[in-house]
Amino acid sequence: MNERIFDLEAYACFSDEKAAVTEVVITQNSSIAVWAVRPGQEVEAHCHPDGQDTWFMLRGTLTYYLGNSQRQTLSVGQFAIADQGQVHGAINEGTEDAVFISIYSAPKIGYAKASA
């Protein structure tokens, strides 16, 4: 990997249809992506059977899914950690666009749908 410094806001690519994710870098140890979420859009509830997903808020506010119908507000400057197998996802219930960074770390990338 030659590039080591990234302007993450430059990777935020919004879609009018659904929350949009842009992969920034994938290595054998992690996957780093930028999510762009317009008001009303959702990152569906899911879990990763093989690793941890850490979200860092750059812009806006999201309602973060904790599983078991529990939710919590995630705002700029905060981060949330979903350990291996923990349900997570979010919806933008606000009026402003939201941008967050997802850092997924595991021996291999995995994904499984879950209910909020």
Side-chain angles (χ1 to χ4, degrees):
M1 174 173 47
N2 293 333
E3 191 171 358
R4 294 183 56 199
I5 307 291
F6 299 87
D7 178 4
L8 296 173
E9 279 276 355
Y11 287 89
C13 298
F14 290 90
S15 166
D16 289 334
E17 292 140 27
K18 62 181 184 175
V21 60
T22 303
E23 295 285 349
V24 177
V25 66
I26 297 175
T27 69
Q28 67 182 18
N29 301 310
S30 66
S31 168
I32 301 170
V34 175
W35 282 86
V37 188
R38 293 208 186 277
Q41 294 179 341
E42 178 181 35
V43 177
E44 68 183 5
H46 64 282
C47 62
H48 300 281
D50 299 313
Q52 173 182 297
D53 197 0
T54 305
W55 292 9
F56 293 88
M57 289 299 299
L58 292 181
R59 185 183 347 156
T61 301
L62 294 172
T63 301
Y64 183 81
Y65 303 147
L66 298 165
N68 297 321
S69 299
Q70 295 181 14
R71 299 171 176 209
Q72 188 171 335
T73 301
L74 188 59
S75 303
V76 172
Q78 294 182 313
F79 70 93
I81 298 173
D83 203 1
Q84 181 177 353
Q86 285 185 316
V87 173
H88 60 291
I91 187 166
N92 185 343
E93 296 180 315
T95 58
E96 298 179 22
D97 292 342
V99 176
F100 71 90
I101 306 311
S102 167
I103 300 175
Y104 180 71
S105 52
K108 66 177 190 167
I109 304 295
Y111 179 94
K113 281 190 178 181
S115 60

